[in-house]
Amino acid sequence: MSSSVVQATPKTATNIIDHTDEAILALAHPMWCDLIKYSNQGQYGKFIRKFSYDLLLGLNEVEVGKQFANSELTRSLHKEWDYLGLIRRGQHVTVLYRVRSTKREGEWLGRLVLGYEQGEVRIFAASIF
């Protein structure tokens, strides 16, 4: 990540869709890498650390924790992925990724939804389809 891209992302911004693609991706890609890393390692606490407050409130922690621990797919994501594109809508941007597994054949669509919460970019949704 280059410092010029990070500096191009205003700290006082309130709508992420106003950022350039490059500035959004400079934030999104490291977050996505962390999600894959912590998912594979089964470190749920680190996995959810950048989730928005609203997302955390809506989660059934026990159920999500069970799914997280028992899903072969979410514990075997390949660390290499392909960026597919951005979708801007309202106060959020969706970043799409092609994801593969180290144990299962095929490809999955990864989705990361980012936005601002209390002046900080947070994860409002993350999923693999």
Side-chain angles (χ1 to χ4, degrees), residues 31-48 67-81 99-104 108 128:
M31 287 180 169
W32 187 251
C33 288
D34 281 350
L35 289 177
I36 289 175
K37 175 183 170 181
Y38 297 130
S39 184
N40 285 339
Q41 294 174 355
Q43 295 182 338
Y44 183 69
K46 289 183 179 179
F47 179 80
I48 64 168
Q67 290 177 2
F68 186 84
N70 297 323
S71 169
E72 180 185 63
L73 178 60
T74 61
R75 298 297 295 275
S76 66
L77 297 171
H78 198 287
K79 67 180 180 177
E80 305 217 357
W81 39 263
V99 183
R100 294 169 187 84
S101 169
T102 59
K103 293 184 180 179
R104 295 176 63 185
W108 286 263
I128 303 264

Side-chain angles (χ1 to χ4, degrees), residues 7-69:
Q7 292 171 355
T9 305
K11 297 239 184 238
T12 58
T14 56
N15 195 340
I16 196 165
I17 70 169
D18 295 331
H19 295 315
T20 65
D21 288 2
E22 294 78 17
I24 292 169
L25 297 177
L27 297 165
H29 290 341
M31 287 180 169
W32 187 251
C33 288
D34 281 350
L35 289 177
I36 289 175
K37 175 183 170 181
Y38 297 130
S39 184
N40 285 339
Q41 294 174 355
Q43 295 182 338
Y44 183 69
K46 289 183 179 179
F47 179 80
I48 64 168
R49 70 185 174 147
K50 298 212 176 178
F51 282 16
S52 72
Y53 181 72
D54 288 340
L55 177 57
L56 290 173
L57 274 179
L59 293 178
N60 177 333
E61 297 265 346
V62 173
E63 202 52 43
V64 173
K66 281 185 204 173
Q67 290 177 2
F68 186 84

Side-chain angles (χ1 to χ4, degrees), residues 105-119:
E105 256 188 76
E107 300 175 335
W108 286 263
L109 177 65
R111 175 183 70 122
L112 179 65
V113 179
L114 301 176
Y116 275 94
E117 182 178 73
Q118 298 179 4

